[in-house]
Amino acid sequence: MACVVCSQNIIVKHLKINNMKKDFKQVQNLKADKAHSIKSTNANGKTVIRVFTAFSGYASHMMALQRLQGTCPDCKFILVGYCEIDKAACKVHDALFTGVKNYGDISKINWNDVEDFDLFTYSFCCQDISCDGAQKGFREGSGTRSSLLWECKKAISIKNPKWCLLENVKPLVQDKFYPLFIKWQRTLDKFGYTSTWKVVDASDFDVPQHRERTFMVSVRHEENGNSQSFYFPESLQPIRNVEDVLDSNVDKKYYLDNEEVAQFISMLNENNDDLVVPTSPAPSEQDILVMSVVTPTTANNKMPTLKASGFGKAHYTSYFSTGAHPKAGVLEVWESKVESSVNKSKALPLVSCPERCVKNSSKDFILSAVENLKPNQYLRIRSITPREALRYMGVSDADIDKMLNAGVSDAALYKQAGNSVVVDVMFYIFKNLLTLKE
């Protein structure tokens, strides 16, 4: 005869196990219901997609989504929050997207207090990964700026968004950091995401800038466990040239003065006293801009990668003492109605010429332009303006107007452009993302 007490204990244990399974299933269902209830339809019948952008900069991700919204009348993108600690970037962001809460330092966010979202973007700090930095890496707990990537675990595990988009520099997936990158990808696998990554050059999407960046799209598995495959967009046929974004009417503060032009040419010419540099003491309103050329450019005639530093007039003047050549500038040839107004002075001799300036790829082009000027033509050299730099990043003129009026310095705008993500690239990535079946 079976022991009654033992039988009762077995029954109780069996009931507890069943109840635990039931509770676990209910929790899983609640999590799934929460995740799939975020995206909703508003009164106008549009699909509302809520977005949170981490390491936001000036909100280039939302610029891409707004552009996409213009081509997708059935969709509406709402920014529910962002996090950014750069004060100048925050001012520009708020000028573009008013009334959106900035949660500040990502390491201090309580994600349970953040509104639910469908799309999470994270262009985390690149300083410790980039070839221009010390490459200290982004190992979890290392305390480097790039290790803030691991703070995104909390956001993704707690909010469970349907899509995540990572962006960073190309070295992220090269030999030195590839193991850590794979560790992050496997972390997302454990959270229930399928991830696809690719190094994308902005110049492949009709942006006249060579800019290679790593993108990774992560798509949450469906309730039935199935996963969807994301495919990166195909390259576009290039149409725009590197000079297409340049302005013809530029403030004089961006130009080198005549002495600086002569000194710059002298350095390129290795102090050859025989070279005459035609300049103009005061360009007349009747003078005509006959040529405007970005120099140096890449082998396929694209703007070199914009970076957080290396642009602006100050980088020309520092070149005179250091030989650290500006990343890119604009060489202009002007034509005067009166030849006598052209100042044909010799290039200024220098005591020494840093070796780096002689090896610059634009040297021969610039010197040839000087030697082939017509009698009534003269040379002007200027830096890329903040407006032009932002155009190279795919920002619309309407948004640039707001950014220029946000009350931040030119230096801050150059820095933000160099740290940002090209709008056009994200536009096509988001477009492909929305074509995935629900």
Side-chain angles (χ1 to χ4, degrees):
M1 180 177 178
C3 175
V4 175
V5 174
C6 291
S7 298
Q8 288 176 339
N9 286 340
I10 291 170
I11 292 171
V12 169
K13 288 180 179 179
H14 182 71
L15 288 171
K16 285 183 177 180
I17 291 172
N18 282 343
N19 286 335
M20 287 173 64
K21 288 181 177 178
K22 184 177 179 182
D23 291 342
F24 178 76
K25 187 174 182 181
Q26 287 176 341
V27 169
Q28 292 297 99
N29 288 338
L30 283 172
K31 189 174 181 181
D33 289 343
K34 176 186 174 184
H36 286 271
S37 64
I38 298 170
K39 188 163 54 176
S40 60
T41 303
N42 66 11
N44 297 322
K46 291 187 177 182
T47 299
V48 177
I49 299 174
R50 295 174 174 84
V51 184
F52 189 99
T53 60
F55 313 98
S56 299
Y58 56 64
S60 56
H61 297 80
M62 281 306 298
M63 291 177 184
L65 289 171
Q66 279 195 331
R67 189 178 300 179
L68 182 59
Q69 185 171 304
T71 66
C72 180
D74 295 331
C75 293
K76 183 177 179 61
F77 301 97
I78 297 177
L79 183 63
V80 301
Y82 74 99
C83 62
E84 177 57 62
I85 61 172
D86 184 279
K87 292 181 179 179
C90 293
K91 288 185 71 173
V92 173
H93 190 293
D94 292 343
L96 292 163
F97 296 92
T98 58
V100 180
K101 182 174 180 178
N102 178 13
Y103 287 82
D105 186 342
I106 191 170
S107 66
K108 298 177 181 178
I109 298 176
N110 181 350
W111 290 99
N112 291 308
D113 295 337
V114 178
E115 185 179 343
D116 292 331
F117 45 83
D118 306 287
L119 171 62
F120 178 68
T121 70
Y122 55 115
S123 296
F124 66 104
C125 307
C126 70
Q127 291 94 329
D128 301 295
I129 304 171
S130 172
C131 294
D132 291 331
Q135 291 198 312
K136 295 180 181 179
F138 60 102
R139 181 175 53 82
E140 188 172 8
S142 63
T144 65
R145 288 168 292 182
S146 296
S147 69
L148 288 170
L149 164 67
W150 300 96
E151 292 293 335
C152 297
K153 282 200 305 184
K154 299 180 212 173
I156 296 170
S157 62
I158 293 173
K159 308 310 290 186
N160 197 30
K162 184 172 179 61
W163 307 293
C164 302
L165 175 65
L166 170 151
E167 181 273 341
N168 211 285
V169 292
K170 184 178 180 179
L172 178 66
V173 293
Q174 293 178 329
D175 291 346
K176 184 173 183 177
F177 299 120
Y178 188 69
L180 274 175
F181 174 74
I182 292 301
K183 181 181 178 182
W184 172 252
Q185 187 173 349
R186 288 173 178 166
T187 299
L188 294 180
D189 291 345
K190 293 177 183 177
F191 289 160
Y193 289 84
T194 297
S195 300
T196 309
W197 67 268
K198 184 179 181 180
V199 174
V200 180
D201 190 338
S203 66
D204 290 333
F205 293 90
D206 198 26
V207 176
Q209 180 196 171
H210 169 69
R211 190 180 188 85
E212 291 182 305
R213 291 295 183 264
T214 302
F215 291 87
M216 184 169 76
V217 173
S218 303
V219 182
R220 193 187 64 224
H221 296 170
E222 297 174 358
E223 286 184 69
N224 57 12
N226 292 337
S227 59
Q228 301 180 71
S229 297
F230 172 81
Y231 296 96
F232 278 90
E234 297 292 330
S235 301
L236 302 178
Q237 184 67 32
I239 298 174
R240 290 184 289 178
N241 295 317
V242 67
E243 280 82 25
D244 288 345
V245 305
L246 299 181
D247 282 320
S248 58
N249 185 17
V250 176
D251 192 295
K252 64 181 181 180
K253 70 179 181 179
Y254 297 107
Y255 285 89
L256 302 186
D257 62 33
N258 290 339
E259 184 174 336
E260 290 168 338
V261 170
Q263 191 173 5
F264 178 69
I265 299 301
S266 178
M267 292 180 74
L268 293 182
N269 198 42
E270 302 180 65
N271 297 323
N272 184 342
D273 292 344
D274 294 331
L275 182 66
V276 174
V277 185
T279 58
S280 177
S284 167
E285 291 183 1
Q286 286 77 35
D287 291 358
I288 301 171
L289 176 62
V290 296
M291 186 179 75
S292 187
V293 181
V294 173
T295 182
T297 57
T298 62
N300 59 346
N301 197 34
K302 302 297 181 185
M303 165 67 74
T305 302
L306 287 173
K307 298 183 180 181
S309 62
F311 291 87
K313 182 178 174 181
H315 292 276
Y316 274 101
T317 54
S318 66
Y319 170 64
F320 301 146
S321 58
T322 66
H325 198 282
K327 300 298 188 298
V330 181
L331 178 76
E332 295 181 348
V333 174
W334 288 74
E335 192 166 282
S336 174
K337 294 294 183 182
V338 183
E339 183 181 343
S340 60
S341 68
V342 177
N343 177 22
K344 298 183 178 181
S345 58
K346 285 188 176 183
L348 299 178
L350 299 175
V351 176
S352 63
C353 179
E355 185 179 357
R356 283 161 63 183
C357 75
V358 180
K359 296 179 179 178
N360 184 267
S361 61
S362 63
K363 170 189 169 185
D364 291 340
F365 174 81
I366 295 176
L367 294 179
S368 176
V370 174
E371 292 172 349
N372 288 283
L373 289 173
K374 296 178 181 179
N376 62 332
Q377 292 180 341
Y378 59 92
L379 189 71
R380 300 186 79 190
I381 296 177
R382 67 174 177 84
S383 64
I384 298 290
T385 67
R387 178 179 291 276
E388 291 164 342
L390 291 165
R391 284 174 180 166
Y392 282 119
M393 295 302 297
V395 183
S396 69
D397 272 5
D399 282 338
I400 293 174
D401 288 340
K402 296 177 184 178
M403 298 170 77
L404 294 177
N405 290 321
V408 301
S409 66
D410 282 0
L413 290 173
Y414 285 128
K415 177 183 176 182
Q416 290 173 40
N419 283 333
S420 192
V421 193
V422 175
V423 176
D424 304 66
V425 175
M426 290 187 294
F427 169 84
Y428 287 104
I429 289 176
F430 288 140
K431 186 176 181 180
N432 274 23
L433 194 59
L434 289 184
T435 62
L436 295 178
K437 294 181 180 179
E438 292 297 323

